[in-house]
Amino acid sequence: MKSILRTVMKILLGILIATGIYFLADSILSSIPHHSATQEQQVQNITIYLQTNGVHTDLVLPKKTHVKDWEHFFSQSIDAQQLQASRYIAFGWGDRAFYMNTPEWSDLTPGTAISAALGLGPSAMHVSLRPLVQADERSVAISISDHDYRLLIRFITDSFQLDEQHFPRKIHEQHPYPSTSTFFEAHRRYNLFYTCNTWTNQALKTANQKAALWTSLDTGIFKHYQ
């Protein structure tokens, strides 16, 4: 009995040490800024938004600009009236089961948490229509050039799994989110080292915007916009 207890204690101690190292690494690496390749002379004439709900981050883009009109891309999967009524579209990436089954932290189960942490399940893109967006304590406005916006669009669209007609593959499972939210099959798998916030951070890095060297948390991104 004592031997079993010692083994359990060693396992728990190991988990605590690993968790501490993980969050220490995040704190250090997220404090190191990614060096942007943006040319200063480029005109920053498009405004996007970085948002957080306190845990998960989204990138909110205008539905239509002179660079990109998202209506065609979603014409086969999102209600036309809702799409036309929106002015912005929020994009997020994450573990599919976590998205579909955990609208609140109180809904999180050990099975869902372990599956997501170990990358055992598929991922999903969460697309949410927004009538209006403004900067506040959980939303940062970012000015971006046409060139860098195109890089951001490419990164986002490449995250979707597409069908033969190059439209995103919609997930038809029921979910607890508003009707303005739609989920799509996505590439990559969520895990401890590539989280929903890592995806957002990577998107910003790809588009030559301020970002962390690496982070798994929303705070790791937002500290570069304070």
Side-chain angles (χ1 to χ4, degrees):
M1 190 66 179
K2 291 183 179 180
S3 177
I4 295 175
L5 183 59
R6 282 197 296 268
T7 300
V8 171
M9 293 299 295
K10 287 180 180 179
I11 292 174
L12 291 176
L13 180 60
I15 292 173
L16 287 174
I17 292 173
T19 301
I21 292 173
Y22 178 83
F23 285 109
L24 177 62
D26 187 281
S27 177
I28 294 172
L29 295 178
S30 67
S31 298
I32 302 173
H34 163 72
H35 294 292
S36 168
T38 297
Q39 300 298 315
E40 292 184 1
Q41 63 268 27
Q42 290 183 357
V43 178
Q44 318 291 313
N45 60 344
I46 297 175
T47 301
I48 65 172
Y49 293 85
L50 167 66
Q51 291 188 335
T52 180
N53 63 2
V55 177
H56 173 84
T57 48
D58 284 326
L59 290 171
V60 187
L61 279 53
K63 183 188 68 178
K64 183 178 181 179
T65 65
H66 60 283
V67 175
K68 176 71 173 180
D69 184 348
W70 289 98
E71 282 200 17
H72 175 71
F73 189 69
F74 294 114
S75 61
Q76 304 301 306
S77 53
I78 296 180
D79 178 78
Q81 289 186 336
Q82 288 187 335
L83 195 57
Q84 290 171 8
S86 66
R87 294 181 58 191
Y88 295 89
I89 302 179
F91 296 89
W93 175 95
D95 179 75
R96 178 170 169 172
F98 203 108
Y99 262 137
M100 308 296 280
N101 303 325
T102 315
E104 302 289 343
W105 281 111
S106 58
D107 299 313
L108 182 62
T109 65
T112 298
I114 292 172
S115 176
L118 299 180
L120 301 179
S123 59
M125 287 292 294
H126 179 204
V127 173
S128 178
L129 303 180
R130 307 284 177 83
L132 182 65
V133 182
Q134 60 184 12
D136 55 31
E137 65 276 6
R138 290 193 171 188
S139 181
V140 175
I142 302 172
S143 297
I144 188 172
S145 69
D146 290 1
H147 173 266
D148 291 341
Y149 188 56
R150 289 188 176 94
L151 295 176
L152 179 61
I153 290 169
R154 173 67 64 85
F155 180 89
I156 292 174
T157 53
D158 284 350
S159 297
F160 287 88
Q161 290 191 29
L162 306 181
D163 62 20
E164 294 77 9
Q165 285 75 44
H166 302 288
F167 290 111
R169 296 181 182 274
K170 182 178 179 179
I171 297 173
H172 294 280
E173 295 178 23
Q174 290 187 342
H175 59 75
Y177 296 85
S179 61
T180 51
S181 286
T182 308
F183 290 88
F184 298 88
E185 296 180 18
H187 293 293
R188 296 198 63 149
R189 286 181 181 255
Y190 182 108
N191 59 65
L192 281 172
F193 303 101
Y194 197 89
T195 69
C196 53
N197 300 309
T198 309
W199 179 89
T200 301
N201 190 67
Q202 186 62 42
L204 292 169
K205 289 168 68 174
T206 299
N208 298 312
Q209 303 306 300
K210 290 187 291 186
L213 181 63
W214 175 83
T215 186
S216 64
L217 306 174
D218 62 331
T219 53
I221 307 173
F222 272 80
K223 69 174 63 175
H224 297 279
Y225 288 90
Q226 295 174 346

